[in-house]
């Protein structure tokens, strides 16, 4: 008689091994380790430097020379991460104070109430229009006063609007980041990338703005199409959302539309919030405010709101600490990202990387030499993701090379813009992206799933426009 198999005799199929996407910290530590390896295998070298008429310390083209090697031992990797924390302390502290402040502001809920009950209601039936409209609005800060990390303040409000309209939190993050980054990258009147680069290239300040306006339209159009397609998908099927049932994402849904009227407290809370934003914009544009002053503005916005809503001092402290804890992981990753530049600088190989990336450009065919500049600037951006710092480090080398190759200086600056700005959307070392992901409670791997294709298309469009700029002698 044939014996029936039982649970003890059944052979279990082995589970398929699935590779998990690495944690953001693991990616950053791996990049730090790569930077340490580069200090051990590349020759140490520097360019001579001098102060120009604007008081900036710039490299002198043609002065690269090797110096005594200073390899960083692996045992000192944690030390360099600690030094990265110190180098990024201004942004790290800003993120913690801002996170704590939003812990109080979100508990009060004044801004979210008006978004969910007034703005969202007014946009019903026209939901998708909020994507291109807000992308354009965000870009205005980037093209004028170089708004980058300052845009993190818009994250909670835009996410609240996105959710109130039936979308999700990652779409709100994408609108704020891709919009402000498009404006920063196009840099029509941005003092930090185009302004610095034009000064170093000895081009009349902000000349050639017409081409950069076209560039801005292209970047925004690509972002709008990509985000509207995603919005359509999750509107039809919410389970397609990249953050579906994610606990952090669900926490944004605490305030929803209601039929009641706003209270006096909520009107006063909205007034403080809008007044605080107006003060921050005024301070950044005309008073040179930076992280310290912006942090102070958020702090007082939170304190005044807490007083109006009759929060006790102990409750405000608890909310502030809770807000800081929500953003602590993202704030800490700033130090890991900054450590990469610290390692390359202390190992005296940053100039070496710039030199050896720039030199092969002279051997490229004429029509793609400027495109090669964009590729070189993109690679440099991974270790030096700062528009003004990258311009200061590379323009004095690239401009004489462009003159030698017959590429216009304006085109060389445009290639720098594309290489420096567009890739910021997907590199884990860009501290502005880190700050925004932390504020939105979105992990890097989920952001990458949404942003990678959009950024890749923008980068290719930038390369096409760089080649066109070469052909029309821009």
């Amino acid at each position: 008689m044939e014996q029936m198999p039982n649970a003890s005799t059944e052979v279990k199929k082995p589970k398929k091994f699935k590779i998990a996407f690495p944690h953001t910290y693991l990616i950053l530590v791996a990049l730090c380790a790569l930077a340490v390896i580069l200090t051990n295998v590349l020759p140490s070298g520097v360019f001579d430097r001098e102060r120009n008429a604007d008081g900036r310390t710039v490299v002198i083209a043609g002065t690269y020379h090797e110096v005594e090697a200073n390899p960083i031992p692996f045992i000192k990797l944690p030390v360099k991460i600690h030094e990265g924390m110190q180098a990024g302390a201004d942004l790290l502290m800003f993120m913690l104070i801002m996170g704590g402040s939003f812990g109080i502001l979100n508990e009060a809920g004044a801004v979210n109430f008006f978004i969910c009950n007034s703005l969202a209601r007014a946009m019903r039936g026209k939901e998708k229009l909020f994507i291109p409209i807000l992308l354009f609005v965000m870009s205005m800060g980037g093209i004028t006063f170089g708004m980058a990390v300052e845009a993190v303040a818009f994250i909670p409000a835009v996410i609240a609007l996105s959710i109130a309209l039936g979308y999700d939190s990652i779409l709100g993050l994408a609108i704020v980041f891709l919009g402000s980054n498009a404006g920063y990258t196009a840099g029509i009147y941005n003092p930090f990338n185009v302004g610095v680069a034009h000064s170093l290239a000895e081009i009349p300040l902000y000349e050639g703005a017409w081409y950069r306006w076209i560039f801005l339209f292209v970047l925004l159009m690509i972002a709008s199409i990509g985000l509207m397609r995603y919005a359509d998908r999750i509107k039809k099927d919410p389970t397609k959302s990249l953050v579906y049932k994610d606990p952090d994402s669900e926490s944004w849904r605490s305030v929803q539309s209601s039929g009641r009227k706003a209270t006096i407290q909520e009107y006063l809370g909205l007034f403080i919030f809008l007044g605080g934003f107006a003060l921050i914009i005024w301070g950044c544009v005309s008073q040179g405010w930076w992280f310290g002053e912006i942090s102070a503005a958020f702090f007082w916005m939170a304190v005044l709101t807490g007083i109006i809503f009759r929060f006790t001092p102990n409750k405000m402290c608890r909310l502030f600490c809770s807000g800081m804890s929500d953003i602590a992981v993202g704030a800490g990753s700033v130090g890991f990202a900054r450590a990469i530049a610290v390692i390359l600088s202390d190992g005296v190989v940053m100039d070496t990387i710039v030199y050896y990336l720039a030199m092969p450009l002279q051997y490229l065919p004429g029509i793609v030499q400027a495109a090669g500049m964009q590729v070189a600037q993109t690679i440099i951006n991974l270790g030096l993701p700062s528009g003004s710092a990258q311009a200061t480090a590379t323009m004095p080398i690239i401009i004489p090379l462009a003159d030698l190759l017959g590429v216009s200086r304006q085109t060389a600056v445009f290639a720098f813009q594309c290489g420096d700005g567009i890739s910021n959307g997907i590199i884990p070392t860009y501290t502005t992206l880190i700050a925004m992901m932390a504020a939105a409670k979105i992990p890097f791997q989920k952001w990458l799933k949404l942003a990678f294709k959009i950024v890749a298309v923008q980068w290719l469009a930038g390369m096409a426009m760089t080649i066109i700029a070469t052909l029309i002698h821009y």
Side-chain angles (χ1 to χ4, degrees):
M1 186 175 175
E2 192 173 332
Q3 197 173 21
M4 295 294 290
N6 55 42
S8 61
T9 60
E10 283 182 358
V11 179
K12 293 183 178 180
K13 292 183 179 180
K15 292 183 178 180
K16 290 184 179 180
F17 180 71
K18 187 177 180 180
I19 300 176
F21 190 91
H23 191 280
T24 304
Y25 273 51
L26 183 58
I27 296 171
L28 291 171
V29 170
L31 290 172
C32 288
L34 176 60
V36 168
I37 293 171
L38 291 177
T39 68
N40 284 270
V41 300
L42 293 179
S44 296
V46 296
F47 288 96
D48 292 337
R49 284 168 166 78
E50 64 180 0
R51 282 192 177 276
N52 65 6
D54 296 327
R56 294 182 181 276
T57 301
V58 298
V59 302
I60 304 173
T63 62
Y64 174 81
H65 57 280
E66 293 187 6
V67 296
E68 184 180 352
N70 186 37
I72 306 297
F74 267 99
I75 195 70
K76 285 193 174 182
L77 179 58
V79 176
K80 295 303 173 184
I81 291 174
H82 180 268
E83 291 175 6
M85 293 283 185
Q86 292 178 310
D90 54 353
L91 177 57
L92 196 154
M93 293 298 106
F94 163 73
M95 290 175 65
L96 289 176
I97 294 172
M98 182 202 66
S101 300
F102 272 108
I104 298 172
L105 294 169
N106 288 337
E107 178 69 16
V111 176
N112 286 355
F113 176 85
F114 283 100
I115 287 173
C116 293
N117 290 277
S118 300
L119 191 55
R121 205 178 307 159
M123 295 196 71
R124 279 181 190 148
K126 309 182 284 288
E127 289 93 343
K128 284 201 301 183
L129 287 178
F130 102 105
I131 295 174
I133 289 172
L134 281 186
L135 281 170
F136 178 76
V137 170
M138 290 294 120
S139 74
M140 290 299 99
I143 70 172
T144 50
F145 64 94
M147 182 179 73
V149 73
E150 299 91 338
V152 74
F154 294 100
I155 292 285
V158 176
I159 286 179
L161 178 59
S162 176
I163 290 174
L165 292 174
Y167 302 120
D168 61 15
S169 59
I170 198 171
L171 181 65
L173 166 64
I175 290 169
V176 175
F177 179 82
L178 293 176
S180 60
N181 195 58
Y184 189 97
T185 301
I188 299 165
Y189 305 109
N190 183 352
F192 297 112
N193 60 355
V194 172
V196 173
H198 275 182
S199 174
L200 296 173
E202 299 179 341
I203 298 172
L205 196 60
Y206 305 129
E207 184 182 65
W210 66 272
Y211 199 66
R212 296 194 296 278
W213 275 111
I214 297 173
F215 185 41
L216 174 65
F217 173 77
V218 171
L219 293 178
L220 292 177
M221 181 179 66
I222 293 169
S224 293
I225 293 172
L227 294 183
M228 289 171 79
R229 288 178 64 186
Y230 174 75
D232 273 341
R233 191 160 65 246
I234 64 174
K235 193 80 166 180
K236 293 173 183 175
D237 184 359
T239 63
K240 296 286 181 66
S241 168
L242 292 171
V243 291
Y244 180 69
K245 294 294 185 183
D246 182 89
D248 287 330
S249 179
E250 289 299 310
S251 68
W252 289 105
R253 300 181 182 272
S254 58
V255 179
Q256 294 297 327
S257 180
S258 66
R260 69 176 178 84
K261 292 183 178 181
T263 64
I264 295 295
Q265 288 175 315
E266 284 164 337
Y267 276 113
L268 290 173
L270 179 66
F271 176 77
I272 290 171
F273 186 80
L274 296 178
F277 262 102
L279 183 65
I280 289 170
I281 293 171
W282 170 79
C284 291
V285 172
S286 64
Q287 304 300 309
W289 281 15
W290 199 230
F291 292 128
E293 294 83 358
I294 300 172
S295 298
F298 279 123
F299 180 83
W300 287 116
M301 285 163 61
V303 170
L304 291 174
T305 300
I307 292 171
I308 287 171
F309 278 79
R310 298 181 182 178
F311 294 164
T312 65
N314 278 343
K315 181 174 183 178
M316 282 197 276
C317 289
R318 286 195 298 271
L319 292 170
F320 193 87
C321 291
S322 177
M324 283 198 298
S325 67
D326 286 343
I327 208 166
V329 172
S333 62
V334 168
F336 284 77
R338 287 287 178 91
I340 298 167
V342 169
I343 293 167
L344 295 176
S345 177
D346 289 355
V348 202
V349 296
M350 183 64 82
D351 284 3
T352 300
I353 294 170
V354 172
Y355 175 76
Y356 283 106
L357 282 174
M359 287 307 100
L361 297 177
Q362 59 189 306
Y363 303 109
L364 293 175
I367 194 172
V368 295
Q369 285 168 340
M373 292 178 187
Q374 178 180 332
V375 173
Q377 296 283 10
T378 301
I379 296 171
I380 293 168
N381 194 48
L382 186 64
L384 195 63
S386 163
S388 55
Q390 191 172 334
T392 303
T394 62
M395 282 295 101
I397 303 162
I398 293 295
I399 292 303
L401 183 61
D403 291 342
L404 180 67
L405 298 175
V407 175
S408 74
R409 294 187 175 195
Q410 191 71 267
T411 299
V413 170
F414 186 79
F416 151 72
Q417 291 175 243
C418 295
D420 162 63
I422 298 174
S423 59
N424 285 337
I426 55 173
I427 60 172
T429 55
Y430 185 46
T431 51
T432 294
L433 177 60
I434 292 172
M436 290 197 186
M437 288 191 299
K441 306 175 187 176
I442 300 294
F444 180 65
Q445 63 267 33
K446 291 186 178 181
W447 167 253
L448 205 58
K449 287 180 180 179
L450 176 64
F452 184 81
K453 288 182 180 178
I454 295 172
V455 173
V457 175
Q458 287 180 330
W459 193 87
L460 291 172
M463 178 165 283
M465 288 195 66
T466 300
I467 293 172
I468 292 170
T470 303
L471 294 173
I472 65 174
H473 304 289
Y474 171 57

